[in-house]
Amino acid sequence: MKHLDWYLQINLKARHLRLLVAIDTYRNLTQVAEVTHVTVPAVSKSLAELERGLGLALFSRTTRGFMPTPYGDCLIRHARAMLAILHQARDELKALSSGAEGKVRIGMLPASASVLVPYALNLLKQQSPGTNVTVIEGTTESLLPELWQGRLDLVVGRLPPPDTLGSFEEKELLEEPVVLMTGRHHPLARQNTLNWSDLCDYPWILPPPGSILRDPLERALEANDVPLSSNYIETLSIHVVRAHLQVSDFIAVMAGSLANDPVQPFHRLPLSLPRLLRPTGVLWNSNRGLTPSAQLMVSCLEEAAQHVLKDFTGSLSPAKSKRTR
């Protein structure tokens, strides 16, 4: 084990990390050679030297290609994380050398953060024009691995259940209810009072199975004797939901702030759902901490949450500020 410690601390290089990730990605030395612009013998030699230096077999040669061993899986996972940190350092150094003040990479859950994030970005650019931002939309399932690997600094949206957080740290930003919405032309929008049974004849826009809202929504509708018809659309795209509500008699479940959209106004049905989801908030990897740019973005998100609350008073309330490991 002393030899392993020595090799990891002295001899392991960034090129070894890139080699491991490339072999794990392509599982074929010919393809690895093509993308790394070296010969196949050179790739094979580098891998052999790495395995010999560590004293561990990192890959098994199989009919399906090069498959990582448990040792390989372990080292590849850390190699991806270390390369992400190096890329982050590169981006920050480039930003500093070009006169910029930094860069922050944000993952956004569009269904819950599409109002909050634009407010926060506007505040960030007012306070620090030289801080540049990359925003990537996605689902919890796609964004949290990117946050863990270090390819994202923050993820903004509905907070996942606490037992799924692991080493992620969170800050609650906004307690935003989930409401039932239609287009303003919808037949139900012309009724002053509604019963749950009035919903039974209309089609739905639903979050897909497996999303954090689908199961609690189904339970809430079932409790009110509202069966989901066979006529529905499943999507997490807020753009699809907005557009379809404008031209159809569908019912959708959306964040309360979206009902007051001045460009595409909607009608909020006067039926109360129980609290189906946790608040909207921001997550980061506590093992990595926050860069100054990311810290500034968190501050802007907190300020933006107050703006959203002020603009949509009556449907929202501020969330308690809390951190959970």
Side-chain angles (χ1 to χ4, degrees):
M1 289 299 102
K2 287 184 178 179
H3 178 75
L4 179 62
D5 289 343
W6 172 83
Y7 191 86
L8 288 174
Q9 294 180 34
I10 305 299
N11 263 23
L12 190 66
K13 305 293 192 300
R15 63 181 178 83
H16 295 134
L17 305 179
R18 290 191 290 269
L19 174 68
L20 286 172
V21 171
I23 296 175
D24 183 53
T25 300
Y26 296 101
R27 306 292 171 91
N28 181 289
L29 294 193
T30 301
Q31 288 181 279
V32 172
E34 290 176 356
V35 298
T36 56
H37 307 291
V38 297
T39 64
V40 173
V43 173
S44 182
K45 181 180 178 183
S46 295
L47 176 59
E49 289 176 349
L50 179 58
E51 290 183 319
R52 187 166 56 253
L54 293 169
L56 300 169
L58 302 177
F59 292 91
S60 298
R61 285 70 170 171
T62 73
T63 55
R64 294 179 296 159
F66 279 62
M67 305 300 294
T69 66
Y71 301 117
D73 277 330
C74 174
L75 194 54
I76 290 164
R77 185 173 69 253
H78 290 290
R80 292 185 185 276
M82 287 185 280
L83 287 173
I85 292 173
L86 289 174
H87 292 159
Q88 183 177 345
R90 176 202 61 195
D91 290 344
E92 289 186 36
L93 290 171
K94 283 185 176 179
L96 290 170
S97 65
S98 64
E101 296 171 35
K103 184 174 183 179
V104 58
R105 297 156 300 175
I106 302 169
M108 184 183 82
L109 304 174
S112 55
S114 57
V115 174
L116 180 64
V117 169
Y119 267 98
L121 291 176
N122 187 45
L123 291 170
L124 179 74
K125 282 300 185 179
Q126 288 177 8
Q127 297 178 32
S128 180
T131 298
N132 296 315
V133 185
T134 298
V135 180
I136 299 172
E137 290 189 1
T139 63
T140 302
E141 292 75 14
S142 66
L143 295 178
L144 290 189
E146 296 293 294
L147 183 62
W148 169 253
Q149 292 288 347
R151 288 187 283 269
L152 292 174
D153 300 303
L154 304 169
V155 169
V156 184
R158 290 283 181 180
L159 295 172
D163 58 0
T164 66
L165 289 177
S167 63
F168 295 133
E169 195 160 342
E170 69 173 32
K171 180 179 285 290
E172 295 180 3
L173 296 171
L174 199 64
E175 187 74 57
E176 188 171 14
V178 173
V179 298
L180 300 172
M181 293 190 194
T182 67
R184 289 188 174 272
H185 63 278
H186 197 285
L188 295 180
R190 296 190 288 270
Q191 297 183 207
N192 294 326
T193 59
L194 282 181
N195 296 312
W196 284 97
S197 58
D198 295 326
L199 309 184
C200 294
D201 295 331
Y202 294 97
W204 288 80
I205 302 178
L206 300 171
S211 59
I212 59 176
L213 179 56
R214 181 63 176 264
D215 286 345
L217 172 62
E218 287 189 0
R219 289 194 296 269
L221 294 178
E222 183 180 352
N224 289 286
D225 296 320
V226 179
L228 289 175
S229 71
S230 59
N231 184 6
Y232 58 83
I233 296 170
E234 294 176 332
T235 182
L236 287 176
S237 170
I238 196 63
H239 308 295
V240 172
V241 175
R242 282 172 162 163
H244 199 68
L245 288 185
Q246 297 293 341
V247 297
S248 74
D249 287 342
F250 277 63
I251 300 171
V253 183
M254 301 166 66
S257 60
L258 297 172
N260 299 319
D261 189 322
V263 179
Q264 290 182 310
F266 299 101
H267 177 74
R268 176 175 174 175
L269 298 180
L271 295 169
S272 297
L273 288 166
R275 187 185 189 222
L276 301 180
L277 298 172
R278 297 190 66 213
T280 296
V282 57
L283 289 168
W284 63 90
N285 191 331
S286 57
N287 292 331
R288 303 184 192 285
L290 293 174
T291 65
S293 297
Q295 289 174 354
L296 178 59
M297 186 66 199
V298 171
S299 297
C300 290
L301 284 165
E302 291 181 285
E303 187 175 347
Q306 298 302 314
H307 279 281
V308 174
L309 174 64
K310 181 179 179 181
D311 286 352
F312 303 108
T313 301
S315 62
L316 308 178
S317 61
K320 297 177 181 178
S321 181
K322 180 181 69 175
R323 295 186 178 185
T324 304
R325 286 190 180 274

